[in-house]
Amino acid sequence: TLLAQNAAARSLIISLDCKIAQGKTEDRQLYFKDFAAAVIQLQDKYPSVKNNMFIESTELDLLKILKGIDEDIVCYYNDSDFETAINTAGIWQLDGIVMKDEDISMEQVKAAQEHGFKVQIWESGWRNYKEVLNKQPDYFQTISLKKVLGK
């Protein structure tokens, strides 16, 4: 497969945005454990990309389960409120936060980084990507790579 055989692909950073369907299961903790097991299985299948694979979610319980299985799994908490995101990441020793471009300022990015957290910003699509990059996040997510590259 591409990830297993291609050196360039192994240098990519993969951020798995783990969205959990609401109300689909009676026992959410069991569901999270099964979901976490599938993530671990994926990382075990592609050990060469494990260090470049981030897990991001709004589901704190899922991130806590993943960290409980393997403390080296890189987990980012996704929230629309900066204070909630940074406090939650700190309490649960997560690696960083993920926020929508319009929900975080340059000052907040800097504050999070000064406290040892990585910051991912995802582009909402309507902003100029240069404005987002000027906030100097550690990682930037876009659905329009051609626009960012000027193609």
Side-chain angles (χ1 to χ4, degrees):
T1 67
L2 175 68
L3 292 177
Q5 299 172 0
N6 187 311
R10 287 191 301 271
S11 69
L12 296 175
I13 294 175
I14 301 165
S15 188
L16 298 179
D17 184 359
C18 298
K19 292 180 171 53
I20 308 297
Q22 298 295 320
K24 296 290 183 185
T25 181
E26 303 246 341
D27 186 345
R28 289 185 62 76
Q29 291 302 313
L30 181 59
Y31 184 78
F32 288 154
K33 287 178 183 173
D34 288 346
F35 197 99
V39 170
I40 299 298
Q41 185 177 25
L42 179 65
Q43 288 190 333
D44 289 346
K45 184 174 180 178
Y46 301 105
S48 63
V49 298
K50 179 180 179 181
N51 293 334
N52 293 349
M53 187 181 295
F54 302 162
I55 310 302
E56 63 177 272
S57 185
T58 59
E59 297 289 347
L60 178 58
D61 286 342
L62 172 63
L63 299 176
K64 288 167 33 179
I65 289 169
L66 284 163
K67 281 291 198 182
I69 294 170
D70 181 350
E71 66 183 27
D72 293 330
I73 290 177
V74 180
C75 291
Y76 286 77
Y77 184 62
N78 187 336
D79 197 279
S80 61
D81 179 74
F82 175 76
E83 293 300 325
T84 300
I86 203 74
N87 289 333
T88 301
I91 290 167
W92 296 104
Q93 299 179 339
L94 302 176
D95 302 282
I97 61 173
V98 180
M99 298 192 75
K100 187 176 181 179
D101 57 11
E102 60 197 38
D103 292 337
I104 189 168
S105 68
M106 181 187 294
E107 294 77 20
Q108 289 170 323
V109 169
K110 184 176 180 181
Q113 292 167 333
E114 286 173 354
H115 284 91
F117 295 106
K118 298 287 186 181
V119 178
Q120 294 187 57
I121 295 180
W122 58 276
E123 173 192 23
S124 62
W126 64 270
R127 285 188 183 254
N128 180 327
Y129 74 90
K130 290 179 184 176
E131 182 180 332
V132 178
L133 292 175
N134 282 338
K135 294 181 182 184
Q136 300 180 344
D138 296 285
Y139 303 100
F140 170 64
Q141 300 174 16
T142 183
I143 59 169
S144 182
L145 192 55
K146 286 183 180 179
K147 182 173 110 179
V148 172
L149 296 175
K151 296 184 180 199

